[in-house]
Amino acid sequence: MTALSTSDDRNLLYDLVGVGIGPFNLSLAALADGVSGFRSLFLDAKPAFSWHPGLLMEGTTLQVPFLADLVTMADPTSPWSYLNYLRSHERMFKFFFSERFHIPRREYDHYCRWVAERLPSCRFDAQVTSLEWDENADAFAVVHRSASGAETRVLARQVVLGVGTNPVVPEPLRPLLTDAHAGRVLHSADYRTHRARLAATDDVTVIGSGQSGAEVALDLLRHQDGNGQGGPYVRWLARTTAFAPMEYSKIGLEHFTPDYIRYFRELPEVTRERLVREQWQLYKGVSEETLGEIYDELYERTIGGGEPRATLQPGAEIVAAQADGEGYLLTCRTQQQDSLFEVRTSAVVSATGYTASRPVFLESMGDLVDWDDRGRYQIDGEYRVALDPRVSGTLYVQNAEMHTHGVGAPDLTLGAWRAATILNAAAGRSVLPVAPRQAFTTFGAPQSPTSAEPATAVPDVAAATPSGTPR
Ligand SMILES: Cc1cc2nc3c(=O)[nH]c(=O)nc-3n(C[C@H](O)[C@H](O)[C@H](O)COP(=O)(O)OP(=O)(O)OC[C@H]3O[C@@H](n4cnc5c(N)ncnc54)[C@H](O)[C@@H]3O)c2cc1C
């Protein structure tokens, strides 16, 4: 497949246009590369690929094995695998001897960029501003704009949304997210931009018991010197009752399988809602390793009778926040005791997660999306969004289906499997096999052998020869 110039686009009907090039749509772009007769284009607003740059700290690792790269779980023969990336960079022996299953997050970012830069279907500096159903063309019209203001309209029979999620900040902190407080009250997604300034501040409060909160707290602790002097006082507060480890047992991880997705999808909505809340440790906890590293930092400080310049406090929720001289006054409530206390701090990093939201460009679809009664997508087993019958094209979505498909939605483990599922549906044939049964665990009442779904047939690999040759 060759790169298309902008002027060609006006007359070309794509089989699939992807909006957003995060890991999930990039996985789809990589798996679709070279599929004969399948024309795809992927658009991203950023000037180049980058993966959560605000949290790419030295020493942080991916929380899934490297095999959950963009392609391997669906197609280990793809040239876009992490191992082929290593080979291209002549680092196979180094990787082999390092015996790492969890690779540095900075390396995952570099690997994804390596793929994105080589795939002809990926186009950056292309912010999608509108998506419409064009009845005359019998296709979606996708309008994207470059930073210079140039607009391009492309047509596609099918569109896949992979626009990720947006940072969430607790309500009491929102009025402080203004230019006047920039770099002193921020979401952890912007941590690295302000890291040096925060490290030089006398007192920083980190909010949130997830992996990001733990990593920011640890990073700030490491800016104190070996005796705990210098650097900021570090206060780590969280609403959850404990700083709990992420579920990482082998059997527990089977919640991230196609089997669990199929089981979850069939459950009543009220049960699905409850499960997602109850299963927070599957997707919101902290890796045991990071918790251990924080503990070890604090332990070091107590050698010779020292006291760590740090507070770790779970079970405390921020109920009010205001500017207070050069710093901030936070009012917190301990949930179990229901008592209030105040904290004076110089800066607040809110590591309070992300949420999926409805993209603005979808407004141009008018009433053609069939939202559920809570304004969310209704999504089928092949990630199709329910649309008005007037639309004969198909809209897919990635990483916005936790309410319908369960906790695996944001997890990289299932990314390539989901992308292959979408690719097969979009191509109208089995390009890649996606076995529906992978777990030892039986989720729900056992199915009789006659009702079991057969695995999709193994395709003719010759029909899907990748065109790109990674360097
Ligand atoms: C710091 C961090 C670490 C994580 N680590 C792990 C991990 O180790 N393991 C794991 O399983 N999960 C992890 N996750 C969760 C998840 O895998 C990631 O959030 C992942 O990046 C989600 O990919 P995505 O493709 O959905 O979205 P994103 O990576 O957010 O990408 C979305 C893209 O869409 C683009 N976009 C949005 N709107 C438009 C538009 N209108 N036009 C054009 N482009 C647009 C954006 O520019 C962006 O590039 C992590 C999450 C975070 C925040």
Side-chain angles (χ1 to χ4, degrees), residues 240-431:
T240 49
T241 52
F243 295 114
M246 184 114 67
E247 164 67 271
Y248 205 75
S249 69
K250 291 178 185 177
I251 290 180
L253 287 178
E254 290 205 326
H255 286 92
F256 302 99
T257 54
D259 312 50
Y260 188 71
I261 293 176
R262 202 180 49 247
Y263 164 71
F264 187 90
R265 284 191 55 242
E266 300 299 323
L267 295 172
E269 184 180 346
V270 62
T271 312
R272 285 189 264 123
E273 302 284 343
R274 179 171 53 76
L275 274 176
V276 167
R277 276 197 309 277
E278 286 175 1
Q279 292 172 336
W280 63 272
Q281 250 179 295
L282 283 168
Y283 60 101
K284 280 189 179 168
V286 184
S287 83
E288 262 189 41
E289 195 189 353
T290 312
L291 287 174
E293 286 173 312
I294 291 174
Y295 198 89
D296 291 347
E297 284 291 333
L298 299 177
Y299 179 84
E300 286 273 333
R301 309 285 193 268
T302 62
I303 296 172
E307 271 297 320
R309 290 178 53 244
T311 302
L312 269 58
Q313 188 165 4
E317 180 181 18
I318 295 197
V319 291
Q322 62 188 77
D324 176 37
E326 291 295 292
Y328 301 93
L329 180 67
L330 309 177
T331 308
C332 309
R333 180 169 49 224
T334 57
Q335 289 187 325
Q336 287 162 6
Q337 301 161 307
D338 194 21
S339 61
L340 295 176
F341 67 97
E342 286 182 340
V343 164
R344 283 197 162 68
T345 189
S346 307
V348 185
V349 182
S350 184
T352 38
Y354 300 77
T355 188
S357 59
R358 196 186 289 190
V360 178
F361 61 77
L362 266 190
E363 276 168 21
S364 36
M365 282 287 287
D367 57 1
L368 293 176
V369 178
D370 188 8
W371 305 105
D372 75 5
D373 52 14
R374 292 179 56 183
R376 300 171 303 189
Y377 302 111
Q378 302 190 69
I379 306 162
D380 76 6
E382 285 165 316
Y383 300 90
R384 292 183 198 89
V385 172
L387 298 176
D388 187 280
R390 281 175 287 168
V391 181
S392 63
T394 309
L395 182 66
Y396 303 88
V397 76
Q398 306 214 59
N399 193 11
E401 73 277 13
M402 200 184 263
H403 61 293
T404 49
H405 290 56
V407 291
D411 200 281
L412 297 176
T413 310
L414 280 158
W417 179 87
R418 177 178 51 202
T421 304
I422 294 172
L423 178 60
N424 289 345
R429 63 193 152 98
S430 177
V431 175

Side-chain angles (χ1 to χ4, degrees), residues 15-230:
D15 295 304
L16 184 69
V17 164
V19 184
I21 309 178
F24 295 138
N25 263 355
L26 184 57
S27 169
L28 182 50
L31 293 173
D33 179 50
V35 173
S36 88
F38 189 75
R39 288 178 297 195
S40 59
L41 173 70
F42 291 82
L43 306 166
D44 199 288
K46 291 180 188 162
F49 181 90
S50 65
W51 188 60
H52 302 306
L55 281 162
L56 281 191
M57 274 92 77
E58 313 77 23
T60 57
T61 63
L62 220 54
Q63 287 174 282
V64 289
F66 70 88
L67 293 166
D69 65 11
L70 297 167
V71 292
T72 298
M73 295 292 279
D75 182 5
T77 67
S78 167
W80 303 116
S81 69
Y82 169 73
L83 287 179
N84 200 35
Y85 153 84
L86 286 178
R87 182 176 70 166
S88 302
H89 289 80
E90 300 180 358
R91 294 175 62 224
M92 285 297 267
F93 276 80
K94 293 185 176 80
F95 179 70
F96 180 82
F97 293 127
S98 78
E99 294 197 19
R100 298 190 77 143
F101 219 45
H102 294 96
I103 61 172
R105 213 186 282 155
R106 287 171 57 231
E107 186 178 29
Y108 179 74
D109 172 67
H110 190 249
Y111 152 67
C112 288
R113 202 161 348 123
W114 174 80
V115 176
E117 282 169 0
R118 283 157 184 77
L119 283 178
S121 60
C122 288
R123 183 180 298 170
F124 289 88
D125 187 18
Q127 171 154 21
V128 172
T129 52
S130 114
L131 174 69
E132 284 174 12
W133 178 248
D134 181 333
E135 276 184 19
N136 296 325
D138 202 27
F140 290 101
V142 186
V143 176
H144 64 87
R145 185 183 295 152
S146 69
S148 66
E151 280 204 340
T152 305
R153 185 177 190 263
V154 297
L155 293 173
R157 288 289 303 156
Q158 306 174 88
V159 169
V160 54
L161 306 181
V163 293
T165 49
N166 300 316
V168 179
V169 168
E171 207 277 320
L173 289 175
R174 284 181 209 160
L176 297 172
L177 292 174
T178 62
D179 286 349
H181 304 283
R184 292 185 295 153
V185 179
L186 55 136
H187 190 274
S188 53
D190 298 318
Y191 175 67
R192 258 189 77 205
T193 310
H194 303 289
R195 184 191 195 190
R197 180 176 175 172
L198 290 164
T201 303
D202 62 337
D203 182 306
V204 181
T205 299
V206 181
I207 302 167
S209 63
Q211 184 67 24
S212 299
E215 286 175 6
V216 171
L218 177 61
D219 192 61
L220 291 169
L221 280 173
R222 286 180 170 160
H223 279 88
Q224 299 175 347
D225 67 24
N227 297 318
Q229 304 307 309

